[in-house]
Amino acid sequence: MSDAASQAQTKAAGTTDAAKALGQAIRKPPIWFYALVVFVTQLDSGSAGTLLSSIAKTFGLTTLGSSWVAGIYTLGLVVGTPIMANLSDTRGTKKVFLWELSFWFVGCLIIALAPVYPLMLAGRFIQAIGDSGIMVLAMSELMQAARSNHQGRRVSLVGVVAGLSAIAGPALAGMAIGMAKDWRAFYCGMLPVLLILFVLAWFVMDNQLAATASKTDLAGLCSFSVALLTLMLAITLSQHFQQYWVVVLLLFVIAVVAFLIFLYCEKRLDEGAMPFLPISLFRHRSYVLTLVLAMVGGSLFSLFVYIPTYVHVVFHLSKALSGMTMMGTGLGSLIGAYIGGIFVDKLGNKKALIVSSAINAISVIGMLLTSNSLPAFFVLSTLFGLGLGAFMSSPLQVIAGRLAAPDQRMQAIGGVSACKKIGMTIAPLVFASAMLVGSVNGNPTLTSFRAMFLVALAITVVCIVLTLFVPFNKGTIDYDK
């Protein structure tokens, strides 16, 4: 009896130790840490536009050449997001976080020192890889740590911080140029900040084990990345199809072949390897439609690019003052990002998406009909920012996270993020094509912008219709309403 009691005590002690170890393993860094990292790494989204004219002057760029400063960054984000999401699930959170910050540092260093434009673009691509998984990882960690009825608000905090960063970015970039008279000063100033973040991540984040012991699906990773990269390049160059039609067609062919190779690799995947994409999730109609909604909804973000030009052409404001009208849109998206989280927690995902889509539709209709009142347009564009912020900040990510198993949550949320960026890449081509209606000698008129707003209205209607067809219910998504 004494031996049996001794064995029972030993087993109980082992169980307690295991529980303690598990508790330590799942301890998460504080919210302020994720907020700080997201804020710093998202500064580029606001600063790039401010720095662009100075960069173009340094390297003597044409309009097409200048567009690649932002274009190459978007490509890096689209390609890097699913890669980093997969590696986080197979290699652990802390490792990937440190890799991301390292890429960001190396990219900034190359940009700051680049003597020629191609090297500068390489730095931008590396920097984008470092940015690609930060927001997705932060959302996944905050969602996992939150109670089910607070997940929306926790996830929306990432969108709020990113919005603040987008507002602060132009101011910091302007200060760097004003003080140092050189755009490179902005990237030089980022280097010590990134080193501090790296040290903080090293000590604040636990040495968490990977969510799964599965091997990385290298064949799937490589083939899918090639397919996605060539597809995005083809879409980007399609804006100049007459000039690059041979390259565009070749890139589309390569993308199709690479995607077929990806499907072949996934079918023959070893049992010990985790699929590069969570293939099982694609059996859920909810997840597939969520990806489509992310792509369609993400395309509306491109409308922000045309608002200053619209104000300049229609209301005859100077270009500097026209750009100031974006403050309302930015503030609206900032508020909307947090409201979206409240909608999710209080109304459920489906109602949150429908309400935010309805706000988008109403504001676009208002902008379409209001061409004689600048104050009214300012209010409506702010409302549009609010609706879009609520739509994109939290509901789609929470749906993806709740549908996925814990060891696939990063991949699921990463898929939503990647589809959003794909939509943002395709949309300028669609809006630019619509604006050809009524243009005079290539210059947009009021008729051109009305055609653009009609396309945006059609997109908001598609979002509402798609949401109605997503089968939200407690059998597929816990705690939804």
Side-chain angles (χ1 to χ4, degrees), residues 379-396:
V379 171
L380 289 165
S381 63
T382 302
L383 183 64
F384 177 70
L386 188 148
L388 193 55
F391 185 88
M392 298 301 297
S393 66
S394 181
L396 299 175

Side-chain angles (χ1 to χ4, degrees), residues 198-451:
F198 188 92
V199 173
L200 279 175
W202 186 275
F203 287 104
V204 171
M205 299 187 77
D206 286 335
N207 287 312
Q208 299 176 46
L209 298 176
T212 174
S214 300
K215 296 180 295 183
T216 301
D217 176 17
L218 291 177
L221 184 153
C222 294
S223 56
F224 186 81
S225 298
V226 170
L228 196 55
L229 178 62
T230 50
L231 175 63
M232 297 305 294
L233 280 170
I235 292 171
T236 303
L237 290 174
S238 293
Q239 300 177 48
H240 310 277
F241 185 77
Q242 290 183 341
Q243 187 176 357
Y244 297 107
W245 68 271
V246 175
V247 177
V248 170
L249 293 178
L250 180 62
L251 287 170
F252 272 123
V253 170
I254 295 173
V256 171
V257 172
F259 185 70
L260 292 175
I261 293 173
F262 166 72
L263 293 177
Y264 176 78
C265 293
E266 295 303 284
K267 287 182 180 179
R268 298 176 61 87
L269 191 64
D270 294 338
E271 254 182 59
M274 174 186 284
F276 177 70
L277 292 179
I279 301 298
S280 59
L281 278 179
F282 288 93
R283 300 189 186 100
H284 289 279
R285 194 170 59 162
S286 295
Y287 185 70
V288 174
L289 288 178
T290 298
L291 295 182
V292 176
L293 276 169
M295 188 181 301
V296 176
S299 66
L300 288 173
F301 274 103
S302 297
L303 199 64
F304 291 171
V305 177
Y306 299 97
I307 287 179
T309 306
Y310 173 80
V311 173
H312 173 66
V313 172
V314 175
F315 298 107
H316 309 294
L317 262 65
S318 67
K319 290 185 178 180
L321 290 176
S322 298
M324 295 293 288
T325 58
M326 286 300 297
M327 290 182 62
T329 309
L331 181 62
S333 62
L334 189 65
I335 297 171
Y338 188 70
I339 290 177
I342 296 176
F343 282 171
V344 169
D345 293 335
K346 299 296 184 182
L347 303 176
N349 291 295
K350 186 166 188 172
K351 289 181 180 178
L353 288 171
I354 291 176
V355 170
S356 54
S357 295
I359 293 173
N360 289 333
I362 292 169
S363 57
V364 171
I365 291 172
M367 289 189 288
L368 181 63
L369 300 177
T370 307
S371 58
N372 57 355
S373 173
L374 181 58
F377 178 81
F378 183 83
V379 171
L380 289 165
S381 63
T382 302
L383 183 64
F384 177 70
L386 188 148
L388 193 55
F391 185 88
M392 298 301 297
S393 66
S394 181
L396 299 175
Q397 288 81 359
V398 171
I399 293 170
R402 288 178 177 175
L403 282 171
D407 63 345
Q408 292 184 331
R409 184 175 288 122
M410 269 289 292
Q411 289 175 288
I413 298 177
V416 172
S417 181
C419 285
K420 170 188 167 184
K421 295 179 180 73
I422 291 172
M424 291 172 65
T425 304
I426 297 173
L429 178 61
V430 177
F431 287 135
S433 299
M435 290 176 67
L436 291 175
V437 178
S439 62
V440 178
N441 297 325
N443 297 317
T445 62
L446 178 59
T447 303
S448 304
F449 287 109
R450 283 176 173 166

Side-chain angles (χ1 to χ4, degrees), residues 72-122:
I72 198 72
Y73 197 87
T74 303
L75 286 174
L77 290 176
V78 173
V79 174
T81 298
I83 293 175
M84 291 303 171
N86 181 275
L87 291 177
S88 178
D89 285 332
T90 58
R91 292 292 181 264
T93 303
K94 181 176 180 178
K95 277 186 180 180
V96 172
F97 222 93
L98 294 176
W99 291 346
E100 291 275 70
L101 292 174
S102 300
F103 277 118
W104 236 91
F105 182 90
V106 172
C108 281
L109 184 62
I110 292 174
I111 294 170
L113 300 178
V116 293
Y117 186 53
L119 188 59
M120 187 264 187
L121 287 182

